[in-house]
Amino acid sequence: EVRTHEQQHQAVGGAHAGAVSFSYQTGPDGLQYAVGGEVSIDISAVPNNPQATIEKMRTVKNAALAPAEPSAQDRSVASAANRMILQAQSELAAQKAEEFQTVRAEAEQRRVESAEKREQQDQQNDQQSINDGVRTYESLIELGQRYANGLTPEINLDEVV
């Protein structure tokens, strides 16, 4: 029963679980019997990686609760893993919120730059239209002066328009 209990911890804990160690007692028949045991398990957070910490702590929690009858120590480890899951979820949410704010700020910056570029293009187009209008006006004035001086102007409509 003791061996099965500890082996369940180790099997579910996988890479995070250490070796099983047992404490023995000599029975009345002179044989050694396992009367207690333990499996060490790594319950440290994964540095700078809340998602990996969540996954690791789920494994730790499952390993702690793997036996049919978890001990008080097993439940304590599961509870600690659960607290670490909650903290890592909070860190992950904060990271995602920060990433969202960055993406939002970048999108706003692109929107502003695009609006500024459109405004510059509109100003350039307006200036070009003004220049074209001035040239047309000057051509018409010149034609009018030729006509006023008694010359029959040769009108090239492509130049005027």
Side-chain angles (χ1 to χ4, degrees), residues 81-107:
N82 213 36
R83 283 191 302 275
M84 291 182 74
I85 288 170
L86 293 174
Q87 179 166 349
Q89 287 172 332
S90 174
E91 290 172 15
L92 190 59
Q95 276 182 358
K96 289 190 183 291
E98 186 177 322
E99 289 170 5
F100 174 76
Q101 290 298 336
T102 300
V103 167
R104 193 169 119 182
E106 289 170 353

Side-chain angles (χ1 to χ4, degrees), residues 16 61 99 131:
H16 307 297
K61 179 179 175 182
E99 289 170 5
N131 291 343

Side-chain angles (χ1 to χ4, degrees), residues 69-141:
E69 294 180 28
S71 67
Q73 177 64 25
D74 296 340
R75 287 189 291 278
S76 176
V77 169
S79 179
N82 213 36
R83 283 191 302 275
M84 291 182 74
I85 288 170
L86 293 174
Q87 179 166 349
Q89 287 172 332
S90 174
E91 290 172 15
L92 190 59
Q95 276 182 358
K96 289 190 183 291
E98 186 177 322
E99 289 170 5
F100 174 76
Q101 290 298 336
T102 300
V103 167
R104 193 169 119 182
E106 289 170 353
E108 178 63 16
Q109 180 63 31
R110 283 191 303 275
R111 188 194 66 75
V112 167
E113 289 170 358
S114 179
E116 289 172 352
K117 187 175 181 180
R118 276 192 310 274
E119 187 175 330
Q120 287 174 347
Q121 288 172 341
D122 289 347
Q123 287 174 355
Q124 289 171 350
N125 290 341
D126 290 348
Q127 187 61 44
Q128 185 63 41
S129 294
I130 291 168
N131 291 343
D132 291 347
V134 168
R135 279 193 295 281
T136 301
Y137 176 76
E138 290 171 346
S139 294
L140 290 172
I141 294 293

Side-chain angles (χ1 to χ4, degrees), residues 1-9 20 22 24 32-37 39:
E1 188 178 305
V2 172
R3 290 182 192 280
T4 301
H5 181 101
E6 299 307 328
Q7 288 170 345
Q8 288 173 335
H9 287 312
V20 179
F22 296 103
Y24 296 93
Q32 294 278 321
Y33 292 93
V35 292
V39 174

